[in-house]
Amino acid sequence: MAERVVNEKNGQCDNLRKSLPVPMFSRNDFNIWSVLKNCIGKELSKITMPVVFNEPLSFLQRMTEYMEYAKLLRVASEQATPLERLKYVSAFAVSALASNWERLGKPFNPLLGETYELIRPEFRIICEQVSHHPPISAFHAESENFRFHGSIHPKLKFWGKSVEIQPKGIVTVEFPKLNEAYSWSNVNCCVHNVIVGKLWIEQYGMMEVVSHQHGMKATLNFKPSGWNNKDLHRVEGHITDRNKRKTHFLYGKWTEFIKCTDYASYEEYVKENAHKFKRNADDRSKSPNESPGNTPRKVLSKLNSLKMSSFKSLSIQEPDDPPEPSEGDIPKSDSTYSIDIPNSVTLWEAESRPANTAEYYQFTNFAMSLNQLEDHMKQPRALCPTDSRLRPDIRKLEQGDLDGAAAEKTRLEEKQRENRKKNKKSQDELTLFPRWFKQDVNPHTKQDDWMYKGGYWERNDDNLELDIF
């Protein structure tokens, strides 16, 4: 396994692909309303969605996109003070969400025992689906400078005109050489206009990045866009010291950048630019998701008889509806409210997406390579037999075989159900899965978590029956 790391550092990453085998299918002719109309207010994890609404990645691979800007953790570990380290860890926490923008496809639900590994010059990571009901995905990333681990229990709910994704779970960064740890929970995500208009995504809610050893905290507010899109994508927050005194101001957009300035510079800027921070009475912050009661019955009845096109602009709106962007368009940020405070330092900037991103599920360059079978992976036993790259339904969708992907997805789901039945009947039920993680107490948060047991990179799969695909 060490040889694989060396190979990566010697240029494997130069061979990573910049596109997928074929462009994505158009979803315009598929009726998502026929699937969702009976799901209002329900969790969607048990709802079978047509494969055309998937993107060719497992949720384990999607979770690995946390690591796109892993270099921020290395930079953080090299800083001289806990305050500077907290700044860069906070920037990393925001950067982990940047790839979500315009990503409208649903990742495939991982099978119990499914794994995914990735090795890059800055890190290596192992993910495993540790629970099927409820679905829980665990990961552990490491380098010589840091460890990053956590578990995610995603919950999806349909609220009539939007889908809300709640990524339940806590993630932790450790700097072992410094005996430091930082933890936080991710904010919610909302996909708007799932029935009428053009789909768009926003992140919203509060995120607290806690420094456990030094009593400091970064509190970040991911703002809903508001009625006039004034706060579209905006993230603002502050760092407090052990005595809860605000010392620094963090700001930016989770889609683009994060900057930091001292609190005195921020306060001076607010005095001169109050209009950029204050809200009007009719522009109150509200949760982007809407409860079923906020979806007019007339709209629902019209939609029942509508030949749906989830990506075409259709306008059906009642007087009591919260206003949507004009003609269902994706909202655009108002530059009037842009912020650029003197004495600011840029902590993170998002990399440009490839020119062909719209043809390939809005993937970033990082995401384009996640399902790639690199040359060294094609050697016998190079990959764990449970790795997501070996899933036939994901592979077929990536290759443009929609019917084949749907058939394989159904086959794998039925096979998983059969395996569960066999295990329940077994008297000596072998607890093969989860294989690489165990439930334990996170020593930093003092909460139950899924912790890495070790051994993945030194494994020997020769004598194991790991037939989940």
Side-chain angles (χ1 to χ4, degrees):
M1 186 56 59
E3 182 181 356
R4 271 194 260 174
V5 178
V6 173
N7 286 341
E8 288 282 355
K9 292 186 176 181
N10 284 343
Q12 286 280 0
C13 291
D14 294 337
N15 299 323
L16 299 182
R17 65 188 183 185
K18 302 300 182 184
S19 64
L20 303 183
V22 298
M24 64 181 286
F25 285 91
S26 170
R27 299 175 176 133
N28 286 348
D29 297 328
F30 294 88
N31 189 342
I32 193 173
W33 177 245
S34 64
V35 179
L36 293 180
K37 63 183 180 181
N38 297 318
C39 305
I40 295 178
K42 298 179 181 178
E43 187 177 344
L44 298 184
S45 61
K46 298 180 181 180
I47 305 300
T48 300
M49 295 288 288
V51 74
V52 71
F53 295 108
N54 284 83
E55 63 178 19
L57 291 176
S58 165
F59 181 74
L60 299 183
Q61 294 166 304
R62 186 72 179 264
M63 189 167 61
T64 301
E65 293 186 61
Y66 275 164
M67 304 305 295
E68 181 170 1
Y69 298 97
K71 63 183 180 183
L72 291 172
L73 294 182
R74 173 182 53 78
V75 172
S77 71
E78 295 169 348
Q79 300 304 303
T81 67
L83 172 61
E84 293 300 314
R85 293 193 284 274
L86 176 57
K87 290 179 184 179
Y88 281 97
V89 170
S90 301
F92 173 77
V94 176
S95 76
L97 305 176
S99 66
N100 289 341
W101 176 234
E102 298 186 313
R103 291 283 288 281
L104 304 174
K106 178 184 178 295
F108 283 73
N109 295 331
L111 305 170
L112 180 63
E114 184 177 333
T115 59
Y116 182 71
E117 68 169 70
L118 189 68
I119 304 173
R120 291 290 182 264
E122 291 277 5
F123 66 89
R124 65 182 185 181
I125 185 172
I126 168 61
C127 311
E128 182 178 14
Q129 189 70 6
V130 295
S131 173
H132 183 58
H133 291 304
I136 302 176
S137 307
F139 68 91
H140 179 91
E142 60 188 33
S143 77
E144 61 181 345
N145 302 299
F146 64 82
R147 290 195 293 260
F148 177 48
H149 55 87
S151 56
I152 305 296
H153 173 197
K155 289 192 173 183
L156 286 75
K157 286 191 176 181
F158 174 51
W159 291 115
K161 291 189 295 182
S162 61
V163 171
E164 181 185 35
I165 302 101
Q166 301 173 344
K168 303 289 187 181
I170 294 177
V171 297
T172 303
V173 166
E174 299 178 9
F175 298 129
K177 296 177 183 178
L178 300 169
N179 193 29
E180 286 183 356
Y182 303 78
S183 64
W184 65 92
S185 296
N186 284 315
V187 296
N188 291 345
C189 177
C190 185
V191 182
H192 291 278
N193 298 340
V194 294
I195 302 302
V196 176
K198 295 180 181 179
L199 297 178
W200 63 282
I201 290 175
E202 68 176 326
Q203 310 274 170
Y204 64 93
M206 301 299 294
M207 174 188 287
E208 289 188 345
V209 183
V210 178
S211 170
H212 292 282
Q213 281 69 37
H214 302 287
M216 296 183 298
K217 180 189 300 184
T219 303
L220 298 167
N221 180 14
F222 288 69
K223 296 188 172 187
S225 63
W227 286 20
N228 62 359
N229 304 325
K230 165 185 167 183
D231 290 330
L232 184 66
H233 305 157
R234 276 173 65 169
V235 180
E236 294 176 8
H238 52 266
I239 293 176
T240 53
D241 62 17
R242 185 181 298 274
N243 299 316
K244 299 184 179 180
R245 181 178 64 90
K246 295 177 181 178
T247 63
H248 288 77
F249 182 70
L250 296 163
Y251 67 100
K253 296 184 177 184
W254 60 267
T255 53
E256 298 179 31
F257 67 92
I258 286 295
K259 295 183 179 182
C260 183
T261 188
D262 61 276
Y263 211 74
S265 295
Y266 159 70
E267 291 181 314
E268 185 65 28
Y269 185 84
V270 171
K271 290 178 184 178
E272 300 174 0
N273 300 273
H275 68 284
K276 296 183 178 182
F277 296 88
K278 290 183 179 178
R279 289 182 176 273
N280 298 322
D282 62 348
D283 189 29
R284 298 180 300 274
S285 174
K286 62 189 291 293
S287 176
N289 62 291
E290 294 155 12
S291 67
N294 286 338
T295 305
R297 283 174 296 200
K298 291 182 180 179
V299 172
L300 299 182
S301 63
K302 288 178 183 179
L303 289 168
N304 271 319
S305 60
L306 183 64
K307 171 64 178 174
M308 256 299 301
S309 168
S310 65
F311 280 65
K312 292 178 181 176
S313 293
L314 303 172
S315 182
I316 301 176
Q317 193 170 61
E318 298 294 316
D320 294 333
D321 266 352
E324 296 287 343
S326 176
E327 297 184 355
D329 287 340
I330 297 173
K332 292 179 173 57
S333 181
D334 189 341
S335 60
T336 306
Y337 299 103
S338 61
I339 300 172
D340 190 8
I341 304 175
N343 304 317
S344 294
V345 174
T346 300
L347 301 174
W348 162 74
E349 283 185 296
E351 294 184 5
S352 299
R353 295 196 180 187
N356 58 1
T357 182
E359 300 174 40
Y360 298 108
Y361 305 89
Q362 300 292 347
F363 279 6
T364 63
N365 280 313
F366 186 84
M368 290 287 190
S369 67
L370 292 180
N371 203 47
Q372 178 180 357
L373 277 169
E374 300 168 47
D375 290 342
H376 69 279
M377 297 175 181
K378 298 174 183 178
Q379 300 172 8
R381 296 184 297 279
L383 275 181
C384 188
T386 52
D387 195 273
S388 300
R389 296 176 184 86
L390 304 178
R391 276 188 64 158
D393 51 355
I394 295 178
R395 186 64 58 190
K396 285 184 179 294
L397 179 60
E398 182 182 88
Q399 294 169 346
D401 183 358
L402 192 61
D403 292 338
E408 285 292 343
K409 181 172 177 283
T410 299
R411 182 186 68 80
L412 290 176
E413 290 168 350
E414 292 176 351
K415 183 173 183 175
Q416 181 171 233
R417 284 191 286 269
E418 287 300 314
N419 287 340
R420 291 187 69 204
K421 289 179 183 178
K422 291 178 182 178
N423 286 338
K424 286 183 179 180
K425 292 179 181 179
S426 175
Q427 295 296 322
D428 58 346
E429 183 176 347
L430 296 176
T431 56
L432 183 59
F433 303 122
R435 192 176 171 203
W436 307 111
F437 292 81
K438 63 178 180 179
Q439 280 188 295
D440 206 343
V441 175
N442 185 315
H444 307 290
T445 65
K446 311 303 181 186
Q447 298 183 24
D448 289 338
D449 204 346
W450 285 88
M451 308 297 291
Y452 178 54
K453 293 193 294 187
Y456 175 83
W457 303 105
E458 301 78 30
R459 71 187 183 278
N460 184 342
D461 303 317
D462 290 351
N463 299 317
L464 289 176
E465 294 292 333
L466 299 172
D467 182 21
I468 65 172
F469 301 144

